[in-house]
């Protein structure tokens, strides 16, 4: 069956015919501009259309499903990137009917769709949304799921291709996975369509539980069916990091210990924990951001060029980076990792509560809302170059940035200048104000020889003037197309826990001496500044 926007009567694309379609479209582009006429498609990969399929969304009434997953699916639908023959089957505990669920989805889309909604695409999208009530620990619910899916698939012609999306509490992952296996919903028998599963983060709680979860999911699905999501990898600016490094020849020769003094990676948020107190109490900044988003960014910055752009080649190189980071001993944790928790303060001129005053948070909580760490990538390229990572809630502003700080010039030539030249800096702004800045020294106009730092600044907004897709759109589309490049492999996630778990273990043994230790609206505890000051460095002001 055709996808919307395609002339009817044409057979649905299979994975092989997509390649042909892509080639045909590339060819077509030479003579006539492609679907650019539709501004909603700008910035998206126009040529890719997944197979007909059913998306089974576990945790369909939850925050993640409504904030991210459903708006992303709607956007893909609206821009003709989903096949006409698809359905979304929401599965959750709430005793909803199909109609109540659809009404809730509709309300979320009206509120959240990043390009608004139009009546026609909204109506056709909702026609494909259905609901099944069930408890994840109830085997009967999964028997009903199998029957419901069979029925829906006949009705919607989805060719028995299925994508399971686990947007539930992480504690429900093992149960859902085991039940899918028990009722035979994971098997791919030839000619029966594909079965894939997207698993949200955090994947495990520590090294041991991640290995256990990998084992559990591995009993039911093959690795090539498993898509562990870290939405940072779907961000345009993060994907551009690969292009920046490997589609430009001039950076690679200086991307190493000879020229780079150190690297800073910051994921700063001004917001607090919002209404996720219970989740955050168990997670903290290390599990929520360090183990995944920050280590992913570090891997992309530090990895070797992969031989191909295929999922395995890319992920092999990322694993090499994480493997080269030695696990810290308790003494090293004490001197190289700083934890913090925010107290009451001011953010954007508004008074805000401290972490311990947030709802669902223990008034004596020792959960960290800030972490800064100095890590070393012990390999030929990076030996001796510190990577300073930091993340925190309730910092003064939202900013994610990778700063490559180059070494100072080896010889001071301009001795009469009043100010020492600053070393060069390359700042890759992931968000907001997405772009890349290069700082270099320049002579100030005048008869003397004064030197000042100036910036060359590329911003996405002005260079391309199109909206970027949301990370979830990119990643869900990739999973539907069977492209796992931007998803985390089993070994990668275990290695990342291998770095974070010794930190967590050592903190259990030594409770924080003074929590809260930073005021909301400041850049974290003073110890974070001292971590760099001790090496004669300082955090970049963002
Ligand atoms: C999520 C974390 O993975 O990432 C949140 O659970 C955090 O705590 C969020 O706020 C940050 O994502 P983004 O895309 O807003 O930078």
């Amino acid at each position: 069956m055709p996808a919307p926007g395609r002339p009817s009567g044409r057979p649905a694309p299979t994975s092989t015919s997509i390649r042909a379609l892509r080639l045909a479209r590339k060819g077509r582009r030479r003579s006539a501009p492609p679907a650019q006429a539709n501004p909603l498609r700008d910035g998206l990969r126009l040529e890719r259309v997944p197979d007909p399929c059913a998306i089974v969304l576990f945790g369909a009434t939850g925050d993640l499903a409504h904030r991210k997953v459903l708006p992303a699916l709607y956007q893909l639908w609206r821009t003709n990137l989903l096949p006409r023959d698809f359905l979304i089957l929401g599965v959750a505990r709430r005793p909803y009917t199909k109609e109540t669920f659809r009404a809730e989805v509709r309300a979320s889309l009206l509120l959240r769709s990043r390009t608004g909604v139009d009546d026609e695409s909204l109506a056709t999208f909702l026609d494909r949304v259905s609901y099944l009530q069930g408890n994840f620990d109830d085997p009967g619910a999964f028997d009903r799921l199998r029957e419901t899916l069979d029925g829906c698939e006949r009705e919607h012609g989805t060719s028995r291709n299925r994508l399971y999306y686990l947007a539930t509490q992480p504690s429900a992952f093992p149960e859902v996975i085991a039940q899918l296996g028990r009722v035979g919903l994971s098997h791919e028998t030839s000619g029966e369509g594909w079965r894939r599963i997207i698993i949200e983060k955090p994947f495990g709680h520590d090294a041991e539980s991640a290995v256990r979860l990998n084992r559990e999911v591995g009993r039911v699905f093959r690795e090539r069916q498993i898509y562990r999501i870290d939405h940072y990898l779907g961000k345009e600016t993060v994907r551009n990091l690969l292009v920046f490094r490997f589609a430009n020849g001039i950076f690679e020769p200086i991307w190493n210990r000879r020229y780079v003094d150190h690297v800073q990676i910051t994921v700063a948020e001004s917001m607090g924990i919002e209404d996720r107190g219970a989740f955050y109490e168990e997670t903290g900044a290390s599990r929520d951001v360090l183990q995944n988003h920050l280590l992913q960014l570090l891997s992309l910055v530090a990895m070797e060029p992969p031989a191909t752009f295929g999922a395995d080649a890319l992920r092999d190189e990322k694993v090499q980076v994480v493997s080269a980071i030695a696990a810290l001993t308790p003494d090293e944790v004490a001197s190289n990792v700083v934890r913090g928790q925010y107290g009451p303060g001011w953010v954007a001129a508004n008074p805000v509560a401290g972490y311990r005053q947030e709802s669902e948070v223990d008034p004596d909580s020792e959960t960290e809302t800030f972490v800064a760490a100095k890590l070393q990538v012990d390999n030929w390229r990076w030996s001796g170059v510190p990577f300073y990572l930091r993340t925190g809630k309730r910092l003064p502003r939202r900013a994610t940035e990778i700063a490559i700080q180059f070494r100072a010039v080896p010889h001071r030539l301009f001795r009469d200048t009043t100010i020492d030249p600053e070393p060069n800096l390359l700042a890759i702004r992931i968000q907001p104000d997405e772009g890349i800045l290069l700082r270099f020294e320049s002579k100030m106009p005048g008869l003397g020889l004064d030197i000042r730092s100036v910036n060359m600044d590329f911003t996405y907004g002005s260079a391309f003037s199109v909206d970027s897709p949301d990370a979830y759109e990119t990643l869900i589309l990739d999973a539907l197309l069977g492209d796992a490049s931007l998803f985390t492999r089993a070994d990668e996630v275990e290695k990342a826990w291998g770095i974070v778990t010794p930190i967590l273990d050592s903190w259990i043994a030594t409770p924080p001496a003074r929590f809260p230790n930073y005021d909301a609206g400041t850049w974290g505890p003073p110890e974070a500044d001292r971590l760099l000051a001790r090496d004669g460095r300082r955090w970049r002001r963002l």
Side-chain angles (χ1 to χ4, degrees):
M1 294 284 282
R6 217 180 292 130
S8 58
R10 209 120 36 92
T14 61
S15 334
T16 25
S17 72
I18 284 172
R19 233 167 287 132
L21 189 69
R22 194 182 296 164
L23 289 174
R25 284 183 180 178
K26 274 190 187 142
R28 218 188 304 154
R29 234 175 253 158
R30 240 171 264 130
S31 45
Q36 302 286 24
N38 178 353
L40 295 175
R41 300 184 78 159
D42 283 353
L44 296 175
R45 289 155 297 173
L46 310 179
E47 67 273 20
R48 308 172 83 191
V49 181
D51 300 327
C53 61
I55 298 165
V56 182
L57 181 55
F58 293 97
T61 55
D63 183 61
L64 177 70
H66 284 265
R67 221 161 26 90
K68 292 289 184 188
V69 182
L70 289 160
L73 284 166
Y74 171 67
Q75 184 66 21
L76 292 174
W77 172 253
R78 197 175 177 212
T79 48
N80 299 337
L81 287 162
L82 288 184
R84 181 184 289 269
D85 304 315
F86 94 99
L87 77 103
I88 298 170
L89 178 61
V91 184
R93 291 195 185 93
R94 289 191 200 167
Y96 283 0
T97 60
K98 176 166 82 181
E99 285 68 31
T100 39
F101 182 58
R102 280 185 182 176
E104 217 176 58
V105 174
R106 185 173 187 281
S108 298
L109 296 180
L110 287 172
L111 191 70
R112 310 248 183 223
S113 168
R114 73 178 173 86
T115 56
V117 299
D118 67 88
D119 291 344
E120 197 193 330
S121 69
L122 184 58
T124 51
F125 180 79
L126 291 175
D127 278 349
R128 287 161 175 79
V129 172
S130 200
Y131 186 77
L132 177 75
Q133 192 266 326
N135 283 353
F136 302 139
D137 54 2
D138 168 20
F142 287 81
D143 293 326
R144 287 201 305 281
L145 171 62
R146 195 184 47 204
E147 285 154 29
T148 311
L149 261 180
D150 284 344
C152 288
E153 286 178 337
R154 273 195 298 279
E155 188 187 330
H156 290 272
T158 53
S159 307
R160 298 179 73 77
N161 295 315
R162 293 169 190 164
L163 176 71
Y164 306 110
Y165 197 123
L166 299 195
T168 64
Q169 287 295 336
S171 54
F173 295 168
E175 187 70 64
V176 176
I177 291 163
Q179 290 295 340
L180 286 173
R182 186 186 64 79
V183 293
L185 282 174
S186 57
H187 299 315
E188 282 183 350
T189 354
S190 67
E192 273 272 285
W194 47 254
R195 311 283 140 86
R196 296 177 193 142
I197 184 163
I198 295 186
I199 305 177
E200 269 292 338
K201 66 165 266 283
F203 190 91
H205 198 66
D206 53 20
E208 200 187 312
S209 58
V211 172
R212 198 168 48 240
L213 184 56
N214 268 333
R215 206 178 305 130
E216 282 164 350
V217 68
R219 268 191 220 120
V220 177
F221 292 91
R222 304 221 170 119
E223 183 61 29
R224 65 173 167 72
Q225 296 175 278
I226 306 167
Y227 292 74
R228 295 172 195 79
I229 200 166
D230 177 329
H231 78 280
Y232 261 58
L233 290 177
K235 286 181 188 279
E236 282 289 276
T237 37
V238 175
R239 295 171 61 216
N240 186 48
L241 203 59
L242 291 170
V243 176
F244 180 76
R245 284 198 58 200
F246 305 130
N248 293 296
I250 61 169
F251 302 108
E252 194 50 27
I254 55 168
W255 209 259
N256 56 47
R257 62 190 300 277
R258 241 183 113 190
Y259 296 96
V260 176
D261 177 74
H262 73 277
V263 177
Q264 295 184 15
I265 310 182
T266 301
V267 175
E269 294 184 280
S270 55
M271 68 179 195
I273 52 158
E274 301 198 297
D275 49 4
R276 299 195 304 158
F279 164 82
Y280 206 83
E281 274 288 87
E282 288 188 6
T283 314
S286 314
R287 292 186 173 95
D288 193 33
V289 174
L290 173 63
Q291 188 273 340
N292 32 73
H293 305 330
L294 274 171
L295 287 179
Q296 285 294 336
L297 294 179
L298 186 157
S299 303
L300 294 174
V301 169
M303 70 190 267
E304 294 301 316
T308 68
F309 201 51
D312 272 329
L314 207 64
R315 296 186 297 179
D316 284 347
E317 296 304 340
K318 278 164 58 200
V319 172
Q320 290 300 323
V321 175
V322 201
S323 308
I325 301 174
L328 302 179
T329 62
D331 281 351
E332 288 168 337
V333 172
S335 53
N336 291 309
V337 188
V338 172
R339 61 188 142 162
Q341 187 193 74
Y342 62 84
W346 293 77
V347 174
N350 292 315
V352 297
Y355 178 68
R356 290 179 176 182
Q357 288 79 53
E358 305 272 15
S359 83
E360 297 177 348
V361 169
D362 178 350
D364 296 319
S365 173
E366 292 183 347
T367 300
E368 81 286 357
T369 59
F370 176 97
V371 60
K374 175 184 172 184
L375 298 178
Q376 301 282 353
V377 180
D378 291 323
N379 63 15
W380 192 275
R381 187 190 282 260
W382 295 114
S383 178
V385 178
F387 284 73
Y388 299 101
L389 314 184
R390 65 174 163 168
T391 183
K393 299 276 186 197
R394 286 289 188 226
L395 301 185
R397 55 182 295 243
R398 176 175 185 249
T400 298
E401 190 199 78
I402 299 166
I404 315 285
Q405 177 67 68
F406 291 95
R407 290 187 187 280
V409 290
H411 169 63
R412 190 168 170 202
L413 184 62
F414 305 106
R415 289 173 187 276
D416 295 339
T417 57
T418 43
I419 305 170
D420 278 346
E422 286 278 326
N424 299 121
L425 173 101
L426 183 76
I428 302 167
R429 290 189 305 272
I430 304 293
Q431 62 191 22
D433 308 327
E434 291 79 358
I436 299 176
L437 171 150
L438 180 66
R439 186 181 69 198
F440 57 95
E441 299 301 284
S442 175
K443 180 187 171 308
M444 283 172 71
L447 298 176
L449 190 63
D450 283 331
I451 293 179
R452 211 185 70 186
S453 297
V454 291
N455 295 332
M456 245 167 25
D457 204 348
F458 148 74
T459 57
Y460 266 79
S462 49
F464 297 114
S465 41
V466 287
D467 260 2
S468 295
D470 181 77
Y472 276 84
E473 292 162 32
T474 302
L475 294 173
I476 293 173
L477 182 61
D478 277 358
L480 290 170
L481 290 162
D483 181 352
S485 318
L486 300 176
F487 293 83
T488 321
R489 212 168 54 187
D491 50 350
E492 205 179 342
V493 84
E494 288 177 14
K495 294 275 181 207
W497 276 120
I499 296 165
V500 173
T501 307
I503 299 175
L504 298 169
D505 287 349
S506 130
W507 284 351
I508 291 170
T510 51
R514 183 179 66 87
F515 261 12
N517 60 354
Y518 70 99
D519 292 342
T522 65
W523 283 104
E527 291 86 343
D529 292 331
R530 288 206 280 272
L531 181 71
L532 271 73
R534 166 185 98 187
D535 297 341
R537 301 178 175 117
R538 58 172 193 274
W539 292 107
R540 236 173 84 69
R541 201 172 303 148
L542 297 176

